[in-house]
Each structure stands twice: as structure tokens, then as C-alpha cells.
Amino acid sequence: MFLFLVVALAVVVAAVTLAVVGGGENGPLPEAVPDRLTDSLPLDRPVSRADVDGLRIPLAARGYRMADVDDALSRLGAELAERDARIADLESALAGARAAAAHISMEKPAAHPEGRQP
């Protein structure tokens, strides 16, 4: 009985090995295709909140693919730096416009009542 179980176990192990290595009907198991970032951030327009919410970085053996994460983070960093620069430019222009408006209102002579001049 013991000999029968050993032989049966050997047959099962051999069958599984042949199926995995390539002795089965369809040959060896196909190579696993690695996940890639399919819905990357748009290149033709600025990144929106919906783009970031919809971004899904594929998993790798030890977490996330470093190249995909690096690409996404560098793109988001560039977008944020560009927006920060644009905000700083607009705030500077607004401050200049306010200063000019205050300077003009100080130079304007006060109007006298009933159109009389001093």
C-alpha cells in the first residue's frame, strides 16, 4: 500500500511538472504580461482633479512600478510648479494694479461742493 502511494505521488508530480514545463497540450505556460500604466496623465492639456482621481498605478512584485510612479509624480510636480509660478505672477500683477489704483486715487483732486473752486 505504501509503495502504491509513493508511485501515485510520483506520477502526479511528474504530470504537473510536464504541464508547467511544456509537456502538456498547449506547451509551456505563457509569460505573464506585466501591467503597464494604461490611463496615464494627459499630455495635450493640464492635469485636472479628475485625472489624478482616475490615475491607477499598476502593482508589481514588490509594490508599485517605480518608473510609472516616478513618471506620474514628476508630471504632477511640473504641473504644480507651473501653476505656482502662474499664481505668483498673477498675484504680483494684482498687487501692482492695486498700487497703481491707490496712487491715482491719491493724486486726484477732491471735488468741491456745488462746483465752486477755492
Side-chain angles (χ1 to χ4, degrees), residues 32-36 58-59 65:
V33 178
D35 288 337
R36 291 285 179 209
L59 294 174
R65 293 189 167 278

Side-chain angles (χ1 to χ4, degrees), residues 87-99:
I87 288 170
D89 289 344
L90 291 173
E91 286 176 346
S92 174
L94 179 62
R98 284 183 177 163

Side-chain angles (χ1 to χ4, degrees), residues 3 29 38 40 72 75 82 88 91 101 104-105 109 118:
L3 183 61
L29 293 176
T38 55
S40 62
R75 174 68 193 275
E82 182 179 325
E91 286 176 346
I104 290 173
S105 67

Side-chain angles (χ1 to χ4, degrees), residues 4-116:
F4 175 73
L5 290 176
V6 170
V7 171
L9 180 64
V11 169
V12 169
V13 169
V16 170
T17 303
L18 285 175
V20 170
V21 172
E25 294 176 14
N26 300 330
L29 293 176
E31 289 292 321
V33 178
D35 288 337
R36 291 285 179 209
L37 187 62
T38 55
D39 54 350
S40 62
L41 298 174
L43 299 174
D44 58 340
R45 61 179 172 78
V47 177
S48 69
R49 170 73 187 254
D51 295 328
V52 175
D53 288 342
L55 182 65
R56 296 292 175 257
I57 299 173
L59 294 174
R62 292 182 289 162
Y64 292 101
R65 293 189 167 278
M66 288 188 342
D68 291 338
V69 173
D70 289 345
D71 289 345
L73 289 177
S74 66
R75 174 68 193 275
L76 290 173
E79 290 276 340
L80 289 174
E82 182 179 325
R83 289 179 186 177
D84 288 345
R86 179 76 173 139
I87 288 170
D89 289 344
L90 291 173
E91 286 176 346
S92 174
L94 179 62
R98 284 183 177 163
H103 183 67
I104 290 173
S105 67
M106 291 179 135
E107 289 181 353
K108 190 184 227 184
H112 295 288
E114 299 178 15
R116 292 189 220 159

